Amino acid sequence: MPITNWAGNVTFGAARVHRPATLGDLRHLVATSRRVRALGSGHSFSLVADTVHDLVRLDALPGSVEIDTATSTAAVSAGLRYADVAEHLHHAGYALATLASLPHISVAGSCATATHGSGDGSRCLAAAVVAVEMVGPEGDLVTLSRDHDPGVFPGAVVALGALGIVTRLTLEIEPAYEVAQRVRLDVPLTEVADCFDEVFGAAYSVSTFTDWRSGRAAVWLKHRLDAPGPRPESGWAGGRAAERPMHPVPGMPARACTKQQGVPGPWHERLPHFRPAHAPSAGQELQSEYYLPRQAAGKAFAAIAEIGPLVAPVLHISEVRTVRGDDLWLSPAYDRDSLTIHFTWIRDTAAVMPALRAVEERLLPLGARPHWGKLTTARPRQIGALYERAADFARLRRRLDPPGKFRNAYVDALFPA
């Protein structure tokens, strides 16, 4: 039976799908395969994980979270979901600095595509990685670390699965903390654009949701209770406080969402928008997302609002967040603090494409880099040209994967070997 991604818009062309139960089985599979790719939770909307050869899922491998208190790190099995890792860490008194909106996604897939949360001081999830273990083309185990391999490590974390099958990632951790989440409604979109720094600096993690046509936005404010900085009773407070729990998509029931209305709770139960036990987001949907230089916020808001009547009819909701820059070669936030504009579209590709093209015609000239796991109309060569370390990454591919065992058409088109 053909295997599809989470949304069902991608049917993978793999000749065979494998779920090895041991690391030895995985190593043997890689060593004897002509070409092989790994699939995480399947939450990508692009062909980043596709192959016509062997596709491997890691969720049947033994899962473990090994905490090193001396170095404040945790070695995590790559196939685990963030929800499972977070629960283990919290039980031991530790935390991650940030989480994505969905805790359902796998650690390996999220890091490989530079998936992110939100916060002026928060980098993408992959930036927490200090070491990566992967199976190389001959079935060999390869370990690269930030400390011991500084020349190539930044190219090996956000790697789109092109360097090997990642089996373990070592993440930076910190003491557990609490977060309180509040929502403000009917915030003028012009206020978000004109007071961008104030709005996104009003809490540890901030997300803004809009349809780009109404001229209004809802703002999710997640306050870290142990952190210095703005508190709910000070700083920016536009719009009005929500009187009941809200869902980011208007009209959707809030029971799938994490607790709001200022009720303090553990970091992993507030930083994501959705609870791991509930189906995430709107369900039947497509997604696109773009990282832009933070200083382009005003122009980006104006550009999308201008085509709001085209975008809104095919949109569930759009989310704006901020991400701190990093040094990972293929991270869309490489070397620049960014804002991200995310579009959750209806699941109708033909209807969405005109709006998507119009969005990209306006955002790409502003320096937008598409998210690796989302839909885009941009040509692969056009996307690859957005990364100044693209040639370095191509050289790293040749060094770590001489036979091209982890190649696929998607990555080859982006970064020709």
Side-chain angles (χ1 to χ4, degrees):
M1 178 181 295
I3 185 172
T4 66
N5 66 339
W6 176 80
N9 72 299
V10 172
T11 298
F12 296 101
R16 295 161 296 276
V17 179
H18 309 266
R19 292 182 73 238
T22 69
L23 179 58
D25 290 342
L26 174 62
R27 294 179 66 180
H28 177 74
L29 169 66
V30 173
T32 56
S33 293
R34 179 186 172 195
R35 296 272 180 86
V36 60
R37 296 283 294 176
L39 178 65
S41 56
H43 199 265
S44 289
F45 297 77
S46 73
L47 295 172
V48 63
D50 197 23
T51 181
V52 296
H53 298 279
D54 289 303
L55 190 65
V56 59
R57 307 199 76 149
L58 305 179
D59 55 347
L61 292 175
S64 66
V65 179
E66 300 175 9
I67 296 172
D68 186 333
T69 58
T71 60
S72 294
T73 60
V76 173
S77 298
L80 289 177
R81 302 182 311 159
Y82 269 98
D84 302 318
V85 173
E87 186 175 348
H88 187 106
L89 290 177
H90 186 73
H91 182 74
Y94 289 94
L96 299 171
T98 186
L99 286 171
S101 297
L102 304 180
H104 311 70
I105 53 182
S106 72
V107 177
S110 302
C111 291
T113 55
T115 296
H116 63 95
S118 183
D120 284 356
S122 296
R123 301 171 299 170
C124 72
L125 297 173
V129 176
V130 297
V132 55
E133 176 191 271
M134 68 183 89
V135 178
E138 305 303 323
D140 49 318
L141 277 181
V142 178
T143 300
L144 298 171
S145 73
R146 183 188 296 170
D147 290 339
H148 295 107
D149 307 282
V152 299
F153 181 74
V157 184
V158 180
L160 312 181
L163 304 180
I165 306 298
V166 175
T167 55
R168 199 146 107 143
L169 292 161
T170 302
L171 310 176
E172 295 173 327
I173 58 175
E174 59 186 81
Y177 53 90
E178 288 200 328
V179 174
Q181 179 176 204
R182 289 175 168 81
V183 178
R184 300 198 66 81
L185 304 174
D186 293 330
V187 180
L189 198 55
T190 53
E191 182 176 343
V192 178
D194 294 343
C195 304
F196 192 86
D197 290 343
E198 291 83 355
V199 173
F200 285 90
Y204 181 71
S205 174
V206 177
S207 293
T208 295
F209 294 93
T210 184
D211 64 3
W212 297 106
R213 180 171 61 182
S214 65
R216 298 282 168 175
V219 180
W220 260 243
L221 300 153
K222 300 172 190 276
H223 300 271
R224 180 166 169 169
L225 301 187
D226 69 336
R231 287 288 186 258
E233 60 273 3
S234 66
W236 177 87
R240 60 182 178 85
E243 297 178 355
R244 57 183 175 82
M246 305 299 298
H247 191 287
V249 180
M252 293 287 288
R255 63 178 176 270
C257 299
T258 50
K259 193 173 289 291
Q260 302 163 22
Q261 298 187 292
V263 179
W267 59 281
H268 65 297
E269 296 180 2
R270 297 294 184 276
L271 289 179
H273 296 325
F274 300 100
R275 302 180 185 187
H278 290 262
S281 199
Q284 298 295 311
E285 64 190 56
L286 302 172
Q287 294 182 10
S288 299
E289 186 174 27
Y290 306 90
Y291 295 61
L292 293 106
R294 186 180 174 111
Q295 61 268 27
K299 291 180 179 179
F301 270 62
I304 304 305
E306 181 182 314
I307 55 172
L310 175 63
V311 168
V314 292
L315 188 69
H316 284 300
I317 202 66
S318 180
E319 180 180 11
V320 180
R321 290 176 283 178
T322 57
V323 183
R324 183 180 154 201
D326 57 57
D327 66 346
L328 305 176
W329 297 352
L330 296 191
S331 167
Y334 175 76
D335 202 31
R336 69 187 195 192
D337 292 340
S338 303
L339 75 144
T340 66
I341 304 181
H342 185 281
F343 299 86
T344 301
W345 308 103
I346 64 173
R347 192 180 152 186
D348 184 337
T349 303
V352 166
M353 281 301 153
L356 182 56
R357 280 192 290 269
V359 165
E360 294 188 340
E361 286 171 0
R362 287 156 178 79
L363 294 188
L364 293 179
L366 298 178
R369 295 169 178 161
H371 189 297
W372 294 116
K374 310 296 184 181
L375 288 178
T376 178
T377 66
R379 296 184 182 90
R381 290 290 184 94
Q382 183 182 10
I383 297 172
L386 299 172
Y387 292 85
E388 59 190 84
R389 304 301 297 270
D392 294 323
F393 182 71
R395 283 190 287 271
L396 186 59
R397 287 180 69 195
R398 292 192 292 271
R399 170 180 163 183
L400 295 184
D401 182 24
K405 185 160 288 190
F406 306 108
R407 292 174 57 183
N408 72 352
Y410 180 89
V411 180
D412 282 352
L414 288 163
F415 306 108

